């Protein structure tokens, strides 16, 4: 029983890492506003850029990346550690070397869910792209660097953050499947990338309609606000 309780605690901690509402806190601390009421309504770094400016957005981006990486690093340390405690007895069928990648996989999904559905923000939040990058970098740095490079290239050419995020997610799937990685890590990257893309469904609709704002332009919501 203690084994399963401790496993659940580990996942809860990973979720709370993701739930830390970085963009929301930036809005409150810097301008006393709820960033969910401005721009695209997201708490992610892109909306922080549009609402608060370049430097706050950079800080939010870095912290969100660190949140994702921290969850993976924590899970990789926590599960082996608690399984060695004398009062915690894993089920006899569990082998740590086999079980650990699955535990890390679940922690990665938990941090992404926390970022997009924060308990502190009534289960609203960002689109988990930055936290997802942190997960990739901690899980397999070549995959993380490859995804970041695609994001940077798309942003440089098209200046559309959402397009870069979604193509980076697809790149991560291709890279993780091409590299020698445990099955749980592959499933994590596939599921996490799909989650990130689904969180961008409104952006997909605007891309198809040709109304998605480019970097430096206001979002459709912020343009509407300026006309009120």
């Amino acid at each position: 029983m203690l084994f399963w309780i401790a496993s659940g605690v580990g996942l809860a901690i990973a979720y709370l890492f993701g739930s830390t509402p970085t963009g929301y806190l930036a809005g409150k601390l810097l301008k006393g506003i709820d960033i969910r009421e401005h721009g695209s309504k997201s708490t992610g770094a892109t909306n922080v850029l549009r609402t608060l400016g370049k430097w706050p957005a950079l800080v939010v981006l870095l912290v969100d990346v660190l949140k994702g990486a921290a969850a993976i690093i924590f899970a990789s340390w926590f599960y082996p550690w608690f399984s060695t405690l004398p009062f915690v007895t894993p089920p006899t069928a569990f082998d740590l070397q086999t079980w650990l990648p699955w535990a890390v996989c679940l922690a990665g999904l938990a941090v992404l869910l926390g970022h997009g559905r924060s308990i502190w923000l009534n289960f609203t939040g960002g689109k988990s792209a930055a936290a997802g990058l942190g997960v990739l970098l901690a899980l397999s740095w070549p995959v993380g660097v490859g995804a970041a490079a695609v994001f940077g290239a798309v942003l440089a050419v098209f200046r559309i953050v959402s397009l870069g995020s979604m193509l980076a997610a697809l790149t991560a799937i291709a890279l993780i499947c091409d590299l020698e990685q445990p099955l749980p890590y592959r499933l994590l990257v596939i599921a996490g990338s799909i989650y990130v893309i689904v969180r961008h469904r409104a952006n997909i609709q605007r891309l198809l309609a040709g109304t998605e704002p480019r970097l430096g332009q206001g979002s459709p919501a912020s343009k509407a606000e300026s006309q009120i």
Side-chain angles (χ1 to χ4, degrees):
M1 178 63 71
L2 284 176
F3 174 83
W4 296 112
I5 292 174
S7 297
V9 168
L11 293 181
I13 292 173
Y15 171 83
L16 291 174
F17 272 130
S19 288
T20 305
T22 320
Y24 173 83
L25 292 174
K28 284 294 184 181
L29 292 173
L30 295 177
K31 287 192 175 181
I33 62 172
D34 185 343
I35 197 170
R36 295 172 300 168
E37 299 174 354
H38 298 268
S40 65
K41 318 297 184 185
S42 171
T43 61
T46 303
N47 197 35
V48 172
L49 174 64
R50 295 187 182 116
T51 308
L52 303 177
K54 178 172 63 176
W55 293 111
L58 180 60
V59 172
V60 168
L61 175 64
L62 291 176
V63 174
D64 285 349
V65 170
L66 289 173
K67 289 191 314 188
I72 298 300
I73 294 170
F74 168 78
S76 299
W77 165 81
F78 175 75
Y79 289 109
W81 171 75
F82 89 73
S83 66
T84 63
L85 297 178
F87 52 84
V88 175
T89 305
T92 54
F94 274 47
D95 172 67
L96 179 62
Q97 193 170 15
T98 302
W99 166 69
L100 180 58
W102 289 103
V104 171
C105 170
L106 292 176
L109 292 176
V111 72
L112 294 180
L113 180 63
H115 184 81
R117 302 293 182 185
S118 172
I119 191 173
W120 312 117
L121 300 178
N122 296 321
F123 300 101
T124 61
K127 294 173 181 173
S128 302
L133 176 59
V135 168
L136 290 175
L137 290 171
L139 200 67
S140 174
W141 70 264
V143 176
V145 170
V150 168
F151 173 82
V154 172
L155 191 62
V157 174
F158 298 102
R159 298 186 64 79
I160 301 177
V161 175
S162 59
L163 181 62
S165 297
M166 290 186 285
L167 290 179
L170 293 174
T171 300
I173 293 176
L175 290 176
I176 200 72
C177 290
D178 188 56
L179 297 175
E180 291 291 332
Q181 294 291 339
L183 176 62
Y185 290 3
R186 295 184 179 187
L187 294 178
L188 166 59
V189 173
I190 293 171
S193 296
I194 292 173
Y195 176 72
V196 168
I197 293 171
V198 169
R199 292 286 290 165
H200 282 82
R201 56 189 179 276
N203 303 85
I204 294 173
Q205 293 174 353
R206 290 194 295 268
L207 284 167
L208 293 175
T211 59
E212 180 72 345
R214 298 178 186 271
L215 195 65
Q217 295 177 335
S219 67
S222 63
K223 291 178 180 178
E225 287 175 1
S226 67
Q227 296 172 358
I228 296 175

